[in-house]
Amino acid sequence: MKTPTILVTGATGTIGSALVPALRARGATVRAMTRDPGHVTPGVETVVADLRDPVSVTAALEGVDAVFLNSPSAPDAAALQIRFTDLAHDAGVNRLVLLSQYAARTDSPVRFLRWHAEVEAHVQQLGLDHTVLRPNLYLQALLAFAGTIAQGWFAAPIGDAAVSAIDIRDIAETAAAVLTTTGHTGHTYTLTGPRAVTHAEIAAAISTATGHSITFRDAPPDQFAAALAGFPLWQRDGLVEDYAHYARGEAADVHTSVADLTGHPARDITDFARDYAAAFTPAGTAEDAR
């Protein structure tokens, strides 16, 4: 019997680069989709396609049985994903696993959550065999603060609100489980870490892992936005909206989907801090990182 072929979009991104080996570990046949013709994903078939180029996407979908859909952050990400799902439907793809976001809803004040909800609604009406994954804040997003953390501090407009943040490795392993097993049709799984943590607790975990004192500073939204000056305006404003959502305590619920679907508990902030300690360690003190 032919092993089903799974197309991973965004295969070189944060989630995709963890998902490809997770799928291979489960014996899946993987087709890695990338926009970069110079990037080859080792051990799997690599196809070059861009969500903005329907012809290339149609070619990438040929002979595919299942798809993991994620896309780069863009102001028209919802439209690009919707067009992709239409192309997948037309190509006869049997299964679609959609990466969405925790608390996605069409009336959310957070633009990213509205965009994800729009894609979810479209997939639902298409009638595809689909599953939705809604992960919470990625722990790996902390890597964006690595520069100041190495100096002993980081700041965000969240106060003492707790968030059940999740490690992307758990997102990838959960996606791999859903893509390679049955019984997930029509399900929406909310993916979180094993507990909700404050940013002060995150700072404490990184301090322990690196052996250096790290302090968290609450920051007003305008100061946080100013620190994101290198981002496009739409993305900067969206991130401020994200953090307002976290600060309101709307992302603290803990779900057991990771453990239920993978058979192991979700990674804790202490696990993440230990494994990524080198990224937060000042130059010249790497002996503290593992």
Side-chain angles (χ1 to χ4, degrees):
M1 181 181 293
K2 174 181 173 289
T3 303
T5 298
I6 300 171
L7 177 69
V8 176
T9 68
T12 61
T14 358
I15 302 295
S17 58
L19 175 56
V20 168
L23 284 169
R24 290 190 67 204
R26 287 176 168 267
T29 299
V30 180
R31 181 179 295 174
M33 178 172 141
T34 176
R35 292 177 295 173
D36 181 2
H39 190 105
V40 176
T41 303
V44 301
E45 178 190 2
T46 302
V47 292
V48 178
D50 192 316
L51 292 183
R52 298 188 183 281
D53 178 7
V55 173
S56 68
V57 170
T58 298
L61 286 165
E62 186 176 351
V64 165
D65 301 290
V67 171
F68 175 77
L69 176 57
N70 185 21
S71 70
S73 189
D76 58 346
L80 292 173
Q81 291 196 25
I82 285 171
R83 183 168 65 186
F84 180 97
T85 63
D86 288 341
L87 294 171
H89 179 267
D90 293 346
V93 171
N94 297 323
R95 299 188 63 205
L96 174 74
V97 174
L98 174 66
L99 187 71
S100 184
Q101 188 174 342
Y102 182 105
R105 69 177 203 268
T106 55
D107 63 344
S108 174
V110 182
R111 70 193 66 194
F112 300 144
L113 300 185
R114 294 195 302 272
W115 297 352
H116 281 297
E118 183 183 351
V119 180
E120 288 186 23
H122 184 77
V123 171
Q124 179 71 36
Q125 65 88 23
L126 267 183
L128 276 173
D129 179 338
H130 72 282
T131 306
V132 176
L133 303 181
R134 289 181 174 176
N136 206 347
L137 172 66
Y138 301 170
L139 286 172
Q140 277 75 3
L142 291 164
L143 296 171
F145 298 103
T148 63
I149 290 176
Q151 298 172 40
W153 64 277
F154 69 111
I158 194 171
D160 60 359
V163 181
S164 52
I166 183 169
D167 194 300
I168 62 162
R169 293 172 292 183
D170 289 323
I171 300 172
E173 289 168 20
T174 302
V178 170
L179 283 160
T180 57
T181 59
T182 60
H184 310 293
T185 300
H187 286 266
T188 295
Y189 296 115
T190 297
L191 309 182
T192 72
R195 60 184 172 123
V197 292
T198 66
H199 275 45
E201 290 172 326
I202 290 171
I206 297 174
S207 296
T208 299
T210 61
H212 298 279
S213 178
I214 311 298
T215 302
F216 169 69
R217 303 174 185 171
D218 188 34
D222 58 344
Q223 182 180 318
F224 182 68
L228 299 172
F231 288 79
L233 181 60
W234 66 267
Q235 192 170 27
R236 183 164 72 241
D237 289 347
L239 289 170
V240 170
E241 291 168 2
D242 262 344
Y243 268 88
H245 160 65
Y246 304 142
R248 290 190 295 267
E250 297 170 353
D253 287 351
V254 174
H255 293 250
T256 62
S257 298
V258 171
D260 295 342
L261 294 166
T262 67
H264 67 70
R267 292 169 174 86
D268 189 68
I269 179 58
T270 54
D271 301 315
F272 168 82
R274 180 195 64 235
D275 295 343
Y276 286 82
F280 304 115
T281 303
T285 56
E287 67 272 11
D288 292 319
R290 325 200 225 304

